Amino acid sequence: MTALATLRGVYRRLSRPSGGSGSAEMGIGPPAIEVGPRRLDLGHGACASLTITGYPREVGLGWLEPLLTYPGRLDVALHVEPIPPQVAAARLRRQLARLEAGARADHEHGRLVDFQAEAATEDAHELAARLARGQGRLFRVGVYLTVHASTAEQLEDEVARVRALAAALLIDAKPATFRSLQGWISTLPLGTDLLRVRRTFDTSALSAAFPFTSPDLHTSLGRHTVLYGTNTGSSSLVMWDRFAQDNHNSVILGRSGGGKSYLAKLEILRSAYTGVEVCVIDPENEYQRLADAVGGAHLALGAQGVRLNPFDLPPGAHRTRDALTRRALFIHTLISVLLEEPLDPAARAALDRGIVAAYHTAGLTADPRTWNRQPPLLADLAKALQDDGDPKAGEVAARLAPFVTGTWRGLFDGPTTTRPDSHLIVFSLRDLPDELKTVGTLLTLDAIWRRVADPHNRRPRLVVVDEGWLLLRQAEGAKFLFRMAKAARKYWAGLTVVTQDAGDVLSSDLGRAVVSNSATQILLRQAPQALDQVADAFSLTEGERQLLASARQGQGLLAAGTDRVAFDVVSSPAEHALCETGPEFLADIGETGTPGAGFGGAADLSRPDDVEDPL
């Protein structure tokens, strides 16, 4: 009765029109179905279903890949049902008892050794040991295939090819004779298994059969797995978990227009789905639309009324006894950057007295109970230096005048206006004048590092530095990247450096250190002038070199140790609407309100309805 009800429901869904006035041809399924013993005639073609009844003893990663990449139309369905541990243990005990009883009976009667039964006994013992240690579970798995063709004659040839391919994989594929309708329904995306031809799998075998496993990447997938794209050599998906590697850093290298920032935004968006917090250093204000769409925080340094007070103590500073001392040391570094030269010992001593006096005047002392008061400003430091009486202090105060009362005071003239606290924080540096670029970068890096290194707020984080060559040109920025690349793993964080000047990065010691400390390395299309240097640095084969020389936009190479896989970046229309910032695309949005398709062609430019609401 249940099966008949299910079939009636499927018939209704397949024959229901997609609109109120549409015809049956507009529905999900065919207008009519003719059921035969071994095939179905669907009106526009024919199909036959196969059930997998035999499997090889051992399988490797992506062992279903040849079936998934079959050149014809082949639907592969995987039905998984977990077995409760208590039931699994009882079944294993019974199976072991049968196998051992059979072995003893053969020995008592002098029969030859059954090597197949002996191998099954060893496998059962090993599986029972893994279950007892909690290293795996058992599942009931059914694998079904549905082959499609235009005519019945072509269908016979296609079925023969699929069965031959399955036999080459040591898989037995049997026709679903007199159950062709149930086989077809079982391969539809309905989650319904009407064939119920199951085989017991353990966790490792099931994970190797999972369709999203790429055979080119030999790594485990954790809770922070991100889709990078599709394998260019097959139709499998390239899934990667940076937080499952030795370190969580990555570099994205490619020439201008290759899709570096696009890929970085996709990774940010998809990492946020898994609970990863992201901080972005954005030199060109390309990430604001993404931050606004997902409820992130956007801090545009240099914009009207946006200020960032360097004297602010970090959140939760009362938990750390030396928070005020660390802040004073950072002010020393900041003043040296503002004045564009290191201070002599006398000036440093005067500056130290001025910093302590400024904090004391604001009511902040060594007592952590005072640290919730309003911190001083740069103008308070200048006043404390003027009141010091030391000529060196007065000299430092005079040199700070442009940043206190002059034309560059906008960044420091008041308390912090925005305290970035979100799952996605974007620091935009585009509005900063060139004279304050270095200072603004230093303030941004300090804010990010304090957040990452906070021992009382540990969570997986990514720090994305777009156009990393701009930071590498600055001393403080280069030091931050080097420090972050070395120490990020200890704070459950990963650094992503996105840059187009691969030659400049690889020619400097700090740049090479950042690359060598990145377990994930993504190479997009390279300029001919930098191709030789990139090929030597990453030990590229001739085929990989040619791929990077002629790669399309959004096509690249993911390198992780000895694992290499070429992939195409793919995005949904909603993701593309958030990640694309090309001038033509922005003009298209401004004129028609209809964003176009991503690299993977997920959207149709002729259909505005293909663009979904990103929220």
Side-chain angles (χ1 to χ4, degrees):
M1 182 67 68
T2 302
L4 291 177
T6 302
L7 293 180
R8 292 192 189 101
V10 171
Y11 280 134
R12 285 196 295 268
R13 274 178 283 183
L14 292 176
S15 60
R16 184 182 301 136
S18 60
S21 59
S23 62
E25 288 75 12
M26 305 253 328
I28 299 176
I33 299 176
E34 182 180 344
V35 180
R38 289 200 174 189
R39 74 168 190 268
L40 296 179
D41 291 325
L42 305 177
H44 58 273
C47 69
S49 297
L50 305 172
T51 61
I52 304 301
T53 59
Y55 298 85
R57 182 188 177 194
E58 296 182 356
V59 295
L61 288 175
W63 60 282
L64 284 179
E65 184 73 14
L67 292 176
L68 299 175
T69 58
Y70 182 73
R73 183 183 173 188
L74 176 64
D75 297 335
V76 181
L78 197 68
H79 293 268
V80 181
E81 178 185 348
I83 302 177
Q86 299 84 352
V87 177
R91 290 181 180 177
L92 271 177
R93 283 195 297 269
R94 289 196 298 268
Q95 181 67 15
L96 282 171
R98 284 194 295 267
L99 291 172
E100 292 177 356
R104 284 196 299 268
D106 290 343
H107 178 72
E108 291 174 357
H109 291 83
R111 301 190 186 100
L112 294 177
V113 176
D114 187 346
F115 294 103
Q116 185 174 3
E118 186 176 359
T121 304
E122 294 177 0
D123 293 342
H125 277 290
E126 182 181 354
L127 181 57
R130 287 203 302 268
L131 291 178
R133 292 192 295 265
Q135 296 177 351
R137 293 187 59 184
L138 292 185
F139 303 85
R140 297 288 293 173
V141 179
V143 182
Y144 313 118
L145 314 175
T146 296
V147 186
H148 293 264
S150 301
T151 63
E153 293 74 13
Q154 293 179 0
L155 180 62
E156 292 183 5
D157 295 337
E158 289 293 322
V159 169
R161 293 191 187 98
V162 171
R163 296 189 67 181
L165 176 60
L169 300 174
L170 303 181
I171 297 174
D172 295 332
K174 303 296 185 182
T177 306
F178 294 108
R179 303 189 71 188
S180 54
L181 178 61
Q182 289 87 342
W184 177 61
I185 293 175
S186 297
T187 56
L188 291 176
L190 302 175
T192 302
D193 182 6
L194 300 181
L195 292 177
R196 306 291 295 181
V197 180
R198 303 295 185 87
R199 172 71 177 264
T200 301
F201 278 41
D202 63 346
T203 303
S204 58
L206 178 60
S207 62
F210 202 63
F212 293 161
T213 300
S214 176
D216 301 308
L217 297 176
H218 302 86
T219 184
S220 58
L221 300 180
R223 59 177 297 188
H224 303 296
T225 301
V226 169
L227 169 66
Y228 279 81
T230 58
N231 193 323
T232 57
S234 66
S235 62
S236 63
L237 301 180
V238 177
M239 311 284 287
W240 189 250
D241 184 2
R242 290 170 50 176
F243 290 90
Q245 311 310 312
D246 296 336
N247 64 69
H248 317 323
N249 301 335
S250 75
V251 292
I252 303 178
L253 303 178
R255 74 174 192 179
S256 178
K260 304 181 302 300
S261 297
Y262 192 98
L263 176 59
K265 294 168 193 170
L266 279 179
E267 184 181 25
I268 290 171
L269 191 59
R270 292 166 181 173
S271 296
Y273 298 156
T274 67
V276 177
E277 181 183 292
V278 185
C279 297
V280 183
I281 299 178
D282 179 13
E284 297 296 337
N285 203 29
E286 295 182 351
Y287 293 77
Q288 180 178 1
R289 187 150 43 90
L290 176 61
D292 293 342
V294 300
H298 183 263
L299 185 63
L301 296 182
Q304 184 69 27
V306 176
R307 297 184 296 272
L308 194 60
N309 184 14
F311 289 83
D312 287 341
L313 294 178
H318 61 281
R319 302 173 183 167
T320 308
R321 304 294 299 182
D322 61 345
L324 189 61
T325 302
R326 291 178 178 270
R327 195 81 315 237
L329 293 176
F330 172 73
I331 299 300
H332 277 276
T333 303
L334 176 68
I335 298 304
S336 298
V337 173
L338 281 176
L339 303 182
E340 298 183 349
E341 64 179 2
L343 299 177
D344 58 70
R348 287 183 64 86
L351 176 61
D352 192 65
R353 293 194 303 270
I355 294 172
V356 174
Y359 273 113
H360 283 191
T361 302
L364 283 76
T365 65
D367 187 354
R369 290 175 296 180
T370 66
W371 292 353
N372 57 354
R373 298 173 180 172
Q374 184 71 28
L377 303 175
L378 190 63
D380 299 323
L381 173 61
K383 185 178 184 304
L385 290 172
Q386 291 172 352
D387 297 340
D388 185 89
D390 187 343
K392 281 291 184 179
E395 179 183 340
V396 175
R399 297 179 62 183
L400 289 177
F403 307 99
V404 176
T405 60
T407 56
W408 297 336
R409 69 181 185 276
L411 189 59
F412 313 101
D413 190 21
T416 299
T417 56
T418 304
R419 296 187 181 276
D421 186 11
S422 179
H423 59 282
L424 173 59
I425 305 173
V426 177
F427 296 88
S428 177
L429 308 180
R430 187 183 65 175
D431 295 329
L432 281 175
D434 292 340
E435 293 79 4
L436 292 179
K437 284 279 189 185
T438 304
V439 178
T441 301
L442 178 62
L443 291 174
T444 299
L445 300 180
D446 172 67
I448 292 176
W449 182 254
R450 283 188 292 162
R451 191 174 186 87
V452 168
D454 184 2
H456 305 288
N457 185 20
R458 290 292 172 83
R459 60 176 298 179
R461 289 184 171 93
L462 289 181
V463 179
V464 180
V465 180
D466 204 346
E467 301 299 345
W469 61 274
L470 294 174
L471 283 186
L472 288 171
R473 293 189 310 178
Q474 305 172 9
E476 292 299 327
K479 290 179 183 178
F480 169 81
L481 291 183
F482 179 76
R483 181 184 181 187
M484 190 71 174
K486 290 285 189 179
R489 181 183 61 85
K490 301 176 182 179
Y491 299 101
W492 204 6
L495 172 67
T496 300
V497 178
V498 185
T499 183
Q500 58 180 294
D501 284 344
D504 292 345
V505 172
L506 297 174
S507 62
S508 66
D509 293 337
L510 291 178
R512 286 194 299 271
V514 171
V515 172
S516 62
N517 283 279
S518 299
T520 305
Q521 301 163 347
I522 299 176
L523 305 176
L524 302 179
R525 183 168 183 173
Q526 301 294 320
Q529 297 80 1
L531 191 56
D532 291 338
Q533 191 173 5
V534 172
D536 294 339
F538 293 93
S539 301
L540 300 180
T541 64
E542 185 60 29
E544 293 168 346
R545 177 190 173 99
Q546 294 300 324
L547 170 69
L548 297 183
S550 59
R552 304 183 303 273
Q553 189 180 41
Q555 185 180 64
L557 180 72
L558 172 62
T562 58
D563 292 340
R564 306 287 179 91
V565 57
F567 68 97
D568 288 309
V569 177
V570 293
S571 63
S572 68
E575 289 174 324
H576 177 74
L578 297 177
C579 299
E580 177 60 47
T581 53
E584 295 181 359
F585 175 84
L586 296 179
D588 183 31
I589 290 180
E591 294 175 2
T592 65
T594 304
F599 294 143
D604 183 358
L605 290 179
S606 63
R607 294 182 57 201
D609 292 338
D610 276 353
V611 182
E612 303 172 358
D613 184 356
L615 297 181

